Amino acid sequence: MTTATSPALLADAFAAHLATPVPPPEDQPWAAQDLAAGAAGSALLHIERARTGDGTWQQAHPWIKTAVATTVSAADTSGLYLGAPAAAFMLDCAVTAEAPRYQDALATLDHHVAQLAHRRCDSARTRMRYGRPASFHEYDIFYGLTGIGAYLLRRSPSGTAMARVLAYLVRLTRPIRHGDQGVLPGWWVDHQPDLTPSTVPAGHANFGAAHGITGPLLLLARALRQGVRVDGQEDAVDTILHWLDTWRQDGPAGFWWPEHLRLGEVRAGRTAQRGPARPSWCYGTPGIARAGQLAALARRDPDRQRLYEDALIRCLTDPDQLSKITDAGLCHGWAGVYQTAFRAAHDAAAPALRAALPALTAALARDAHPGRDPGLLQGAAGTALALTTAAHDAAPTSGWDACLLID
């Protein structure tokens, strides 16, 4: 491992560390199709480097081949981070106009992803008809319809599958009556934030980008900015923004939001969380602020845009909040904070966010160590991808961060 601290040299060292893919365990062939921790996610680093000229397609191809070496699953349990959508997302990042490699395989996967979206929408509609609460796996970015929609927005924005996903998310924002617990937001889930069953009836409403309502907000807003819309989409965006307004907290270092709310907190009208949690893409102010900023841009609301940008810059310059970041990973470490801030800075109305990027780059470089995990979300590939963004001071050429919905 090099001792150099420049983002470019660190990214080179990470890529060298990830030169050779490791096949998945024999009893878990599907693991290669895992965007979070498998070869599909790690391949994104080498794809991005091949596209920027930092690496070669000869370095990327073994990772791509490993990810699709076994039958790609399009089962109903698959989503953006596992199975056909994950493999398709990886291949889409690899295809260029000059080098249309993998295009045939991608076209085949597109069909399976669209059919998966239709089946998942049918299942969600049935769940809603019977009045049952939602689950992360139904709607979130990782395995739910929001993540599948993120892929469709890249590949088939005008297709019927995309329209059905957006219509589902619109309906998800409508209040529900859950047993004797009264009226609750439509994205209320009946399990714990860690997906374990609730020990008492109730469940919770989640705010995070990864599993909470700001994930759907990101997709709804990004689709509006691309001119992709369905009936009620603007109202759905406004409903989520109103929820964020209602639960916004004002602390010494600016605005922040709870990670989640349980039934007692909703009924009492106040959160039990005492202050802002760790800044991250998956939970915390960075992911929420980017969602709010994109929604404000989509709704042409400059005052709201400034509010979310100010919340983000104050978070990113608050030593107390930054001290809670303990790793360099993409999901909840420096890489995710940097990549989210980079995207927000390039849409920001004021220069303060861009001015904060050098300090974030330094923090990312300081804590960047390859480790044993080669993966995208919590491992070396995600860290190296953010370092690559910092090294070029440019948005990813492959658009890999669309899997976070922050692009």
Side-chain angles (χ1 to χ4, degrees):
M1 176 65 186
T2 180
T3 57
T5 57
S6 79
L9 289 176
L10 282 169
D12 288 344
F14 272 71
H17 179 74
L18 298 178
T20 304
V22 178
E26 291 186 6
D27 61 340
Q28 298 177 357
W30 50 265
Q33 302 161 31
D34 183 345
L35 200 66
S42 298
L44 294 178
L45 170 62
H46 295 287
I47 290 168
E48 177 67 17
R49 288 174 60 82
R51 293 183 61 143
T52 60
D54 297 322
T56 68
W57 286 108
Q58 288 73 25
Q59 293 168 327
H61 183 70
W63 283 95
I64 297 171
K65 183 178 179 180
T66 297
V68 294
T70 58
T71 302
V72 177
S73 173
D76 289 352
T77 53
S78 59
L80 181 59
Y81 277 71
L82 185 66
F89 181 85
M90 174 197 68
L91 293 178
D92 186 48
C93 287
V95 170
T96 66
E98 298 77 18
R101 68 193 78 205
Y102 316 118
Q103 186 66 63
D104 290 344
L106 182 57
T108 299
L109 286 172
D110 277 342
H111 171 75
H112 290 295
V113 174
Q115 293 304 306
L116 171 66
H118 284 295
R119 296 196 308 272
R120 295 286 294 273
C121 285
D122 288 343
S123 178
R125 184 172 59 185
T126 299
R127 189 271 303 169
M128 290 173 168
R129 186 166 64 246
Y130 283 99
R132 296 191 298 268
S135 69
F136 289 167
H137 282 173
E138 181 186 285
Y139 75 79
D140 75 5
I141 288 180
F142 288 166
Y143 305 110
L145 281 161
T146 297
I148 294 170
Y151 177 75
L152 293 171
L153 190 60
R154 282 172 68 98
R155 292 288 297 171
S156 184
S158 60
T160 57
M162 181 78 252
R164 288 199 68 192
V165 170
L166 292 175
Y168 156 75
L169 292 178
V170 168
R171 187 171 178 184
L172 187 72
T173 66
R174 295 171 183 162
I176 60 171
R177 183 171 292 279
H178 185 26
D180 61 356
Q181 297 167 13
V183 177
L184 295 169
W187 58 92
W188 191 268
V189 298
D190 64 352
H191 54 72
Q192 303 277 30
D194 63 1
L195 289 172
T196 58
S198 291
T199 54
V200 295
H204 76 284
N206 200 286
F207 284 78
H211 299 300
I213 193 55
T214 47
L217 180 61
L218 283 163
L219 181 59
L220 290 164
R222 289 178 66 250
L224 282 177
R225 294 190 76 195
Q226 288 185 219
V228 180
R229 65 187 67 220
V230 297
D231 290 344
Q233 191 168 337
E234 290 91 346
D235 290 340
V237 168
D238 292 345
T239 294
I240 301 171
L241 288 173
H242 178 69
W243 173 263
L244 295 177
D245 287 344
T246 300
W247 291 100
R248 185 176 67 233
Q249 311 295 307
D250 191 2
F255 295 132
W256 59 274
W257 290 262
E259 290 190 331
H260 49 73
L261 293 173
R262 302 189 189 278
L263 184 61
E265 294 169 280
V266 173
R267 287 176 171 171
R270 61 179 181 273
T271 176
Q273 189 173 317
R274 294 178 178 271
R278 172 180 56 190
S280 66
W281 163 76
C282 60
Y283 280 94
T285 299
I288 294 172
R290 177 57 172 162
Q293 179 198 37
L294 285 172
L297 287 164
R299 300 296 283 134
R300 296 179 175 84
D301 186 341
D303 291 338
R304 190 183 296 275
Q305 180 184 346
R306 284 190 290 270
L307 182 151
Y308 279 102
E309 290 172 3
D310 182 67
L312 181 55
I313 187 60
R314 294 189 67 182
C315 165
L316 297 178
T317 54
D318 177 23
D320 288 340
Q321 290 184 70
L322 297 182
S323 69
K324 298 175 183 177
I325 303 175
T326 58
D327 67 82
L330 195 61
C331 187
H332 46 249
W334 287 111
V337 170
Y338 175 84
Q339 195 70 28
T340 304
F342 178 88
R343 286 294 195 174
H346 284 260
D347 282 327
L353 276 172
R354 170 156 287 275
L357 293 179
L360 297 179
T361 301
L364 171 61
R366 181 195 65 221
D367 284 4
H369 308 287
R372 294 183 179 181
D373 185 347
L376 176 70
L377 272 189
Q378 300 187 52
T383 300
L385 280 163
L387 287 166
T388 301
T389 298
H392 289 273
D393 190 26
T397 59
S398 63
W400 66 264
D401 56 355
C403 70
L404 305 177
L405 275 170
I406 57 174
D407 60 320

